């Protein structure tokens, strides 16, 4: 969750916000990506990640912050890892073996698209 260090205000629309239900084991969509179902799987994931305000982590519009803001960097890493876990939970074991060592959700998303 991203909040100002000097404030108790929490912005639920901030992409760094994590709800207590946003766990790594969360199942987002009902279908697992097997390869031939990419179009419907990616559409479902796009919708869900948008609802969770996390699509910026897969489309590249929220880049990794620099080290000058350690609070924001830690929040970005935590959210990126949550999104990675969601993606890995929803792809076949064969496909996950080819992307598991990629460091960012955007890198995994691009690889799955190819």
């Amino acid at each position: 969750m991203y909040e100002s260090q000097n404030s108790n205000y929490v912005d639920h629309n901030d992409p760094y916000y994590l709800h207590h239900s946003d766990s790594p084991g969360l199942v987002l969509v009902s279908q697992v990506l097997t390869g031939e179902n990419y179009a419907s799987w990616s559409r479902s994931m796009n919708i869900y990640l948008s609802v969770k305000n996390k699509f910026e982590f897969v489309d590249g519009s929220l880049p990794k912050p620099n080290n000058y803001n350690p609070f924001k960097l830690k929040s970005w890493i935590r959210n990126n890892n949550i999104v990675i876990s969601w993606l890995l939970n929803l792809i076949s074991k064969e496909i996950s073996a080819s992307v598991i060592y990629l460091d960012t959700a955007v890198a995994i998303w691009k690889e799955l698209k190819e």
Side-chain angles (χ1 to χ4, degrees):
M1 157 175 40
Y2 180 74
E3 66 183 70
S4 170
Q5 294 175 345
N6 299 325
S7 171
N8 289 328
Y9 175 74
V10 176
D11 182 1
H12 297 276
N13 293 313
D14 191 305
Y16 292 111
Y17 171 75
L18 284 173
H19 188 268
H20 63 83
S21 67
D22 291 337
S23 69
L26 188 62
V27 175
L28 307 178
V29 296
S30 59
Q31 60 180 320
V32 171
L33 176 63
T34 59
E36 58 272 350
N37 64 338
Y38 176 78
S40 61
W41 177 87
S42 66
R43 175 70 177 139
S44 297
M45 288 297 294
N46 185 327
I47 292 167
Y48 194 84
L49 290 169
S50 295
V51 167
K52 293 300 238 175
N53 205 21
K54 301 291 183 236
F55 193 73
E56 293 91 343
F57 288 91
V58 297
D59 75 353
S61 64
L62 188 63
K64 185 177 183 178
N66 60 38
N67 292 331
Y68 298 116
N69 189 337
F71 180 75
K72 200 168 198 175
L73 179 60
K74 283 183 179 183
S75 293
W76 186 91
I77 291 169
R78 184 172 45 251
N79 278 274
N80 179 66
N81 286 335
I82 284 287
V83 174
I84 286 174
S85 68
W86 292 345
L87 292 172
L88 293 175
N89 287 340
L90 291 166
I91 58 179
S92 70
K93 290 180 182 183
E94 296 79 21
I95 296 172
S96 69
S98 68
V99 297
I100 194 164
Y101 293 106
L102 297 175
D103 293 333
T104 64
V106 68
I108 291 173
W109 190 258
K110 286 179 181 179
E111 183 69 21
L112 294 174
K113 188 175 183 178
E114 291 176 10

